[in-house]
Amino acid sequence: MKKRVAIVAGGDQSELEVSLRSAAGLYSFIDANKYECHIVTIVGTEWNVDYEGKKYVIDKNDFSFVIESGKRLNFDFAYITIHGVPGEDGKLQGYFDLIRMPYSCCGVLSAALTFNKFFCNQFLSGFGIPIAKSVLLRKGEKMSTENIVDKLGLPCFVKPNGGGSSYGTSKVKCNAEMEPAIQAALVESDEVIIESFMEGTEITCGVYKTKDNSTVFPITEVVSKNEFFDTDAKYNGSVEEITPARLSPELTAKVQSLTSRIYDIIGAKGIIRVDYIITQGEKINLLEVNTTPGMTATSFIPQQIAAAGLDIKKVMEEIIENELSNV
């Protein structure tokens, strides 16, 4: 009998539509001959599953649902592809831990840590990993623009501390742009991270590990046609994505080794993606860690899997079976 897999999408932030596209990608990537997949959407307190063209309410007691015949169906595995709250920050992971449901990505602590850009980067900097200079502002806190600029310089980046896909992210080039940028970031998150600008080449590298396998993917070089890799560049084609990246073999090996090391430091599971800026002197600077990376047909991870000559269906099977073997 096929194992029943929930592809869990939705969320409570601006990345909802991206999450739904990732769910559609995963639905096509997971082998239908081996698994029975259904997309579950979680938006606020509305939890629904699409089953044979009809929507049914998910019972939050055990993540099951009852179809028209009265039969109750249970899931064997959850592939989390919510980008943002509550699937990327540890909340959903905690729920699945409580009901003993195996899932695709890292646990509560790792998810909560990596979702908080500031804390994650500060934590990893303690392991000698270079990061941008930054300050953290919480909702209601005040810091003068002059103090921020004195510490970080201009230009600098203002980002939601919890959120992705560059929603609410601004490149600030003068003092007058600072406050509007902070307010835009606060729409997405109650905390704002402001980072110094680093001139260089943006790259991203994916990795996944199981009990029997460790695979670091080829690196992707990101060349935005816009001023930075913003939402328009990510989703409207204003970017050139080069896989494998135009790096020397030596630098490529260093980035891949660092990506594998970060995976182990944070205690990741499944597939993660780590973003970097390569600055002068081939210095590898961490931008952020993404533990639920996009899985649309054109996302970085599927590109990297293809560039590695791997079968994405086999990769998905490895991830699923690795977790089911622990049940």
Side-chain angles (χ1 to χ4, degrees), residues 289-307:
V289 180
N290 190 330
T291 55
T292 55
M295 292 296 289
T296 71
T298 58
S299 293
F300 291 126
I301 292 298
Q303 287 183 50
Q304 293 175 5
I305 290 173

Side-chain angles (χ1 to χ4, degrees), residues 5 30 35 77 79 316-324:
V5 174
I30 297 174
Y35 304 100
F77 182 85
Y79 200 112
M316 295 296 105
E317 182 180 348
E318 276 190 67
I319 290 167
I320 293 169
E321 292 301 323
N322 185 68
E323 298 306 318
L324 289 176

Side-chain angles (χ1 to χ4, degrees), residues 72-319:
R72 182 174 293 273
L73 301 180
N74 294 281
F75 287 105
D76 299 294
F77 182 85
Y79 200 112
I80 300 173
T81 190
I82 292 177
H83 311 311
V85 177
E88 199 171 2
D89 62 347
K91 293 185 180 71
L92 196 56
Q93 289 84 347
Y95 164 78
F96 283 135
D97 285 343
L98 286 171
I99 66 169
R100 307 295 192 269
M101 172 75 73
Y103 54 90
S104 57
C105 54
C106 63
V108 174
L109 178 59
S110 298
L113 172 68
T114 55
F115 188 64
N116 189 308
K117 295 180 178 69
F118 182 83
F119 286 162
C120 183
N121 286 8
Q122 294 298 320
F123 172 73
L124 289 172
S125 72
F127 291 84
I129 298 169
I131 62 171
K133 291 187 292 184
S134 63
V135 297
L136 178 70
L137 285 180
R138 293 188 172 93
K139 193 171 186 177
E141 288 183 345
K142 296 293 183 183
M143 181 180 290
S144 73
T145 297
E146 290 73 18
N147 284 346
I148 296 171
V149 172
D150 284 346
K151 182 169 184 177
L152 304 180
L154 289 172
C156 63
F157 282 98
V158 178
K159 307 174 183 178
N161 195 40
S165 295
S166 296
Y167 287 108
T169 296
S170 306
K171 183 177 181 180
V172 171
K173 293 177 284 185
C174 65
N175 287 17
E177 294 175 350
M178 186 70 73
E179 188 57 33
I182 291 171
Q183 294 307 314
L186 284 170
V187 172
E188 300 292 327
S189 172
D190 286 341
E191 295 181 338
V192 175
I193 181 173
I194 309 173
E195 295 180 320
S196 61
F197 173 72
M198 295 184 289
E199 181 75 48
T201 301
E202 184 167 353
I203 60 169
T204 186
C205 183
V207 56
Y208 80 100
K209 300 187 182 186
T210 65
K211 287 189 285 287
D212 303 318
N213 184 32
S214 175
T215 301
V216 185
F217 299 132
I219 300 163
T220 300
E221 180 180 346
V222 182
V223 184
S224 178
K225 298 173 185 176
N226 297 346
E227 196 154 11
F228 67 98
F229 192 38
D230 58 9
T231 301
D232 177 63
K234 288 181 178 180
Y235 303 116
N236 296 323
S238 299
V239 66
E240 185 179 4
E241 298 168 0
I242 303 165
T243 310
R246 298 169 296 184
L247 305 178
S248 68
E250 294 78 14
L251 184 55
T252 295
K254 286 180 182 178
V255 171
Q256 290 177 319
S257 176
L258 179 57
T259 303
S260 178
R261 181 175 171 232
I262 288 171
Y263 190 104
D264 294 338
I265 290 171
I266 65 172
K269 287 198 309 180
I271 298 175
I272 73 165
R273 201 191 75 230
V274 186
D275 301 339
Y276 306 95
I277 290 281
I278 307 295
T279 54
Q280 189 173 15
E282 295 193 339
K283 183 181 179 182
I284 307 166
N285 303 272
L286 173 68
L287 284 179
E288 62 181 83
V289 180
N290 190 330
T291 55
T292 55
M295 292 296 289
T296 71
T298 58
S299 293
F300 291 126
I301 292 298
Q303 287 183 50
Q304 293 175 5
I305 290 173
L310 299 174
D311 181 347
I312 197 166
K313 284 184 165 54
K314 290 294 184 183
V315 173
M316 295 296 105
E317 182 180 348
E318 276 190 67
I319 290 167

Side-chain angles (χ1 to χ4, degrees), residues 8 12 40-49 55-65 86 91-92 95-96 99:
V8 188
D12 302 333
V40 174
T41 54
I42 293 178
V43 181
T45 58
E46 299 294 319
W47 295 25
N48 298 290
V49 59
K55 288 197 178 297
Y56 297 94
V57 174
I58 291 288
D59 184 341
K60 298 184 185 71
N61 290 297
D62 60 1
F63 209 65
S64 66
F65 61 103
K91 293 185 180 71
L92 196 56
Y95 164 78
F96 283 135
I99 66 169

